[in-house]
Amino acid sequence: MQKELSVKTGIKSRTIQVDYLARVEGEGALYIDVNDGTVDDVKLKIFEPPRFFEAFLKGRDHAEAPDITARICGICPVAYMMSAVHAMEAALDIEVSDTVRSLRRLLYCGEWIESHVLHIYMLHAPDFFGFADAIRMAAGHKAAVERGLRMKKAGNELVRVLGGREIHPINVRVGGFYRLPEKNELAALLDEFRWARDAAAETVHWTAGFEFPELSRDYEFVALAHDEEYPMNEGRLASNRGLDIAVDDYEAHFEERHVEYTNALHSVRTPGETAYCVGPLARFNLARDKLSAATRELVDDTGFDRVIVNPFESIVVRAIEVFYAFDEAIRLIESYEAAYDPQCTPYAEAGRRAGVGMAATEAPRGLLYHRYELDAEGRIRVAKIVPPTSQNQKTIEDDLYDLVAANIELPQDDLTWRCEQAIRNYDPCISCATHFLKLHVRDVR
Amino acid sequence: MSADTGIVGVGNAMRGDDAAGLVLIERLAGRAPDARLYRSDGEVSGLIDCFGRHDSVVIVDAARGDLPAGSVIRIDALRERLDTEGLRSSTHAFGLGEAVELARALGALPGRLEVFAIVGRCFDLGADLTPPVAAAVDEVGERIADEFIRRP
């Protein structure tokens, strides 16, 4: 991590500048100006180069979308695949079998586990102990780090078995899967998953005991809402301020804006252009009554059965979602094995025709929206992808305004550290957030 | 020696020179009957798991650096610490350097750990290996075959 810190004049006027944010996915920087005790400006700059995936998709066959979009991110490829296949199936009016539906949810459990465990143990927990990174934390917290590594490996294994490999799965297609697991293939994971569910409960207790900096804000939380399930693949879009819409209406209620200082677009609620929050806090606050009985009991035990508005507590919510993902995965695997049918068709056939399809699914970091327009041959005419980090970017900046204003008396190093920790509350995936910028090049010759 | 050797290619197949380690593993396939070959994106738990499976582990990864493209840096990772920034050519939040140093902190390194870092020039999405990196992959493959693999 490289830092350049400069103090303008006295403690009431200063600049907080972190040129390279550590322990976030991708490359970003933070600039905050304070003048006479008032926060003047907060800029979360994302300077990772834009990756043009939306343009790259134009003209490609609809069936290629899941594999191409999976390459946007090495941390959450399943999320991109899931939003892509659901959107394509909406465009082509394809209905998938109950088996495919369950296995997609199972695959998503694997990704939540991989992503959340990496973030909890390797990227975020060191903040709460005052360590610069997990390597330094490992010396004094060896058992915890080893527990995290073993849990992550369990998640990797699920994605490998169901997705074909641990990273960038290859078994997902529009209409279902190329191949379904054979009998006992998934059952072989169960012993380790039962251990991992217990380890996840320990993780919840471990993180619930951390000391959380004070910050609470009046967020608009936005997440998928499903009648029966904790949200992953399906549902309407809901918020704690009365939003209740079909995913097809997403673009009538949310808008992306170009902001001069960053390579990522900011997504805001319309018409007020206000910030909103997606991700674990939003899901938990809107749908914690849909968690499994064992998860709700754990939530109760740790005193977290409440609306959580301190973003620093998001590490506990991620741990709760890890426990839920292991619990849900065990249920889904047991159901699959009990009803195993070797004749089950792995996918529904997709015809080729013109159409428009939208879908949103719950990536580990929050809502991931895709829209595709297809021509008569099933080729992609238009692609639009809105990742969770661009939706949270304005909220992160708003958190930083309040955090700095409330902690203006802290020494510069401590305040800078606190700001970086606040950004990591959202586990921002900067490489996801920069794939879609439209560049306007002005010729000045 | 060979029976307990794991050879790991680390990289991203779609980001130009970052694929160097993965291409090397493709070229060794079928030539290393007594070694186990791995393809990795640098994922930390998978790498540390691999360290626990073999007495001797060889890792090949692309790197960013001031040296000319195709330069090869060999590191005895039991004796030297790895640069956690230079070995993060793609956007893995937790890369090879961190994985090795975390394993060191946990006492989980294998008995021998050699890292071959090939300096890359182009890490653009969809790009091929640049010629100097492709040549370096051939050279490193031969060195590994001579030194770590019992030929069939």
Side-chain angles (χ1 to χ4, degrees):
Chain A
M1 176 174 56
Q2 302 172 35
K3 290 184 182 179
E4 288 182 16
L5 303 174
S6 60
V7 179
K8 276 184 176 172
T9 52
I11 200 160
K12 292 292 185 186
S13 298
R14 50 179 156 170
T15 299
I16 295 168
Q17 177 174 330
V18 181
D19 286 338
Y20 291 92
L21 290 167
R23 286 183 276 135
V24 300
E25 164 67 16
E27 296 177 355
L30 168 67
Y31 299 91
I32 301 175
D33 279 336
V34 179
N35 279 310
D36 199 22
T38 302
V39 182
D40 264 1
D41 197 15
V42 174
K43 290 191 176 94
L44 178 59
K45 294 187 176 182
I46 290 178
F47 48 80
E48 178 141 319
R51 297 168 70 181
F52 303 115
F53 269 88
E54 287 167 332
F56 192 45
L57 284 160
K58 284 183 188 173
R60 307 300 291 249
D61 191 85
H62 72 278
E64 295 180 275
D67 290 326
I68 291 173
T69 57
R71 294 290 177 168
I72 291 173
C73 181
I75 305 289
C76 47
V78 170
Y80 282 92
M81 297 183 112
M82 290 295 114
S83 288
V85 295
H86 283 289
M88 291 304 178
E89 287 156 11
L92 300 171
D93 201 18
I94 298 168
E95 271 198 42
V96 303
S97 67
D98 288 345
T99 300
V100 165
R101 187 181 182 283
S102 295
L103 290 178
R104 282 180 175 171
R105 190 169 177 81
L106 180 59
L107 184 59
Y108 232 141
C109 287
E111 179 157 287
W112 279 23
I113 293 163
E114 286 181 317
S115 177
H116 280 356
V117 171
L118 176 73
H119 187 258
I120 292 167
Y121 281 92
M122 303 299 148
L123 308 177
H124 209 192
D127 282 332
F128 293 89
F129 294 104
F131 292 110
D133 55 41
I135 298 162
R136 290 168 180 85
M137 189 178 82
H141 300 268
K142 186 178 179 205
V145 171
E146 287 175 340
R147 179 176 66 211
L149 287 171
R150 186 171 164 187
M151 290 165 65
K152 180 163 189 328
K153 190 161 168 281
N156 293 354
E157 195 58 13
L158 174 55
V159 174
R160 186 189 66 76
V161 171
L162 198 47
R165 58 188 185 195
E166 292 167 12
I167 308 291
H168 298 311
I170 50 173
N171 190 31
V172 173
R173 55 165 290 165
V174 176
F177 292 89
Y178 288 100
R179 169 190 171 276
L180 297 181
E182 292 177 5
K183 186 157 182 66
N184 295 325
E185 229 179 326
L186 289 168
L189 304 174
L190 281 173
D191 283 350
E192 185 66 4
F193 268 49
R194 290 186 184 113
W195 171 86
R197 182 172 54 184
D198 291 344
E202 288 176 43
T203 306
V204 173
H205 288 291
W206 184 59
T207 55
F210 291 173
E211 189 176 324
F212 302 103
E214 283 185 22
L215 178 67
S216 64
R217 295 185 50 244
D218 183 19
Y219 297 96
E220 179 169 17
F221 295 111
V222 176
L224 285 179
H226 190 277
D227 286 345
E228 295 163 12
E229 296 171 341
Y230 196 71
M232 278 188 188
N233 284 65
E234 298 168 10
R236 292 172 65 78
L237 274 172
S239 87
N240 54 327
R241 294 191 188 160
L243 180 78
D244 180 12
I245 58 169
V247 170
D248 289 5
D249 295 328
Y250 174 89
E251 290 175 56
H253 296 266
F254 300 88
E255 187 176 285
E256 289 176 296
R257 297 185 313 185
H258 177 242
V259 180
E260 190 180 357
Y261 55 80
T262 178
N263 279 355
L265 300 178
H266 277 200
S267 188
V268 292
R269 287 275 279 121
T270 55
E273 298 199 350
T274 49
Y276 62 102
C277 174
V278 300
L281 281 187
R283 290 190 292 259
F284 181 83
N285 287 331
L286 296 173
R288 66 188 184 283
D289 60 320
K290 305 292 192 305
L291 290 165
S292 63
T295 313
R296 288 202 305 274
E297 192 177 323
L298 179 65
V299 168
D300 232 9
D301 284 351
T302 45
F304 273 79
D305 188 15
R306 54 184 165 84
V307 173
I308 294 171
V309 290
N310 180 347
F312 290 98
E313 292 180 321
S314 61
I315 192 168
V316 185
V317 177
R318 279 194 186 83
I320 291 166
E321 286 195 337
V322 170
F323 178 90
Y324 173 73
F326 277 117
D327 197 45
E328 179 72 345
I330 290 167
R331 181 187 73 80
L332 290 164
I333 291 171
E334 287 174 343
S335 300
Y336 181 77
E337 294 292 345
Y340 179 73
D341 174 6
Q343 306 302 321
C344 186
T345 312
Y347 58 87
E349 286 287 355
R352 291 173 186 279
R353 65 174 201 198
V356 178
M358 303 82 154
T361 67
E362 287 288 347
R365 289 155 192 77
L367 200 71
L368 171 59
Y369 173 79
H370 286 211
R371 175 170 60 82
Y372 298 100
E373 294 178 25
L374 306 181
D375 67 16
E377 274 74 47
R379 285 191 300 262
I380 298 168
R381 288 183 59 245
V382 176
K384 181 182 176 72
I385 299 172
V386 186
T389 294
S390 71
Q391 299 182 77
N392 276 337
Q393 204 175 337
K394 186 167 168 47
T395 292
I396 296 171
E397 289 183 346
D398 288 353
D399 278 7
L400 291 165
Y401 265 104
D402 286 9
L403 185 73
V404 173
N407 293 278
I408 201 81
E409 303 300 331
L410 280 179
Q412 182 86 354
D413 283 357
D414 292 353
L415 187 54
T416 303
W417 177 287
R418 187 68 53 83
C419 289
E420 289 187 79
Q421 184 181 6
I423 293 168
R424 286 190 283 270
N425 286 334
Y426 292 87
D427 189 10
C429 188
I430 289 170
S431 50
C432 284
T434 56
H435 70 274
F436 58 149
L437 182 73
K438 291 189 179 90
L439 275 189
H440 299 283
V441 180
R442 187 165 62 98
D443 189 346
V444 294
R445 284 175 297 175
Chain B
M1 177 181 70
S2 303
D4 289 324
T5 300
I7 303 172
V8 188
V10 177
N12 182 334
M14 290 185 71
R15 290 192 73 158
D17 288 337
D18 196 27
L22 305 179
V23 173
L24 183 138
I25 292 298
E26 280 172 23
R27 293 183 185 170
L28 287 180
R31 296 176 58 196
D34 294 324
R36 178 151 178 205
L37 305 180
Y38 297 87
R39 292 164 56 90
S40 166
D41 72 337
E43 195 279 317
V44 57
S45 63
L47 280 171
I48 293 179
D49 186 55
C50 172
F51 297 162
R53 290 171 184 265
H54 302 281
D55 290 340
S56 177
V57 174
V58 182
I59 298 175
V60 183
D61 193 7
R64 288 186 193 275
D66 296 331
L67 295 171
S71 301
V72 177
I73 304 153
R74 181 171 178 169
I75 303 161
D76 175 350
L78 294 192
R79 292 172 179 271
E80 297 175 58
R81 292 191 178 275
L82 263 67
D83 172 6
T84 55
E85 291 298 323
L87 283 166
R88 194 193 291 164
S89 52
S90 56
T91 57
H92 316 310
F94 209 84
L96 171 64
E98 286 99 337
V100 170
E101 293 312 317
L102 184 61
R104 193 189 313 277
L106 294 171
L109 288 176
R112 182 179 184 186
L113 180 60
E114 303 276 349
V115 176
F116 290 86
I118 300 174
V119 176
R121 184 171 65 201
C122 173
F123 297 92
D124 292 349
L125 192 73
D128 292 327
L129 290 187
T130 57
V133 170
V137 167
D138 287 339
E139 178 206 322
V140 172
E142 289 307 313
R143 285 168 69 179
I144 289 173
D146 286 343
E147 196 172 338
F148 295 92
I149 297 171
R150 185 184 306 139
R151 294 177 185 271

